[in-house]
Amino acid sequence: MAACSGPPEVQRDPAPLLQTSALTYTFERHDFGYSTTIPYTYRNETDADVILDHCDGDVRPLLQIRRGDRWVDQWHPFMDGCSSPPLSIAPGDEYADTLRVIGAPPGSNVTPAFVFEDVEGVYRLYWFQARLSDSDSVVPGEESGAAELPWRVSNAFVLQLP
């Protein structure tokens, strides 16, 4: 983003079932990179259970950033590789959590790291591990699937530097 243009603005889109608590969040700068927290709520308005595959309860979504007219992965949480019984969100139920983002600049020896050097921009949460109980599986990071499955992504929001 150009320094003189200021942060972008977004409007609340009520359509995504995954909603952040605010439309703008500010990164904190650290020696290793950046951090922020993003509270979110998911309301299951589908006709099926939403299943979240996880390891020991870790169901953190990843961050996608808007680049032109596309959404691309920008930050993926470091997750253990175990497999726990899936978390199920029944139709009509809500699930609330807070995503704690801690990330280093790309190319550093710290993980997780952001993909792009410029961390400011318009973002959304993407629950890559989510699937519907009546579907076979979901391919993590599948961009076309995210666009076709609006129940897996959040409203747009801005992440900015102080």
Side-chain angles (χ1 to χ4, degrees), residues 12 14 16-22 25 38-44 61 89 93-99 125 127 151 153-155:
R12 170 78 61 187
L17 304 184
L18 189 57
Q19 290 285 319
T20 60
S21 65
Y25 299 92
I38 304 169
Y40 63 91
T41 302
Y42 184 84
R43 65 185 189 288
N44 185 359
I89 305 169
D93 283 356
E94 286 192 6
Y95 175 86
D97 203 353
T98 298
L99 177 62
L125 303 177
W127 244 349
W151 51 270
V153 297
S154 77
N155 57 285

Side-chain angles (χ1 to χ4, degrees), residues 113-128:
F114 289 93
V115 173
F116 302 103
E117 189 74 34
D118 182 8
V119 295
E120 289 186 296
V122 176
Y123 283 80
R124 71 179 181 185
L125 303 177
Y126 174 36
W127 244 349
F128 62 94

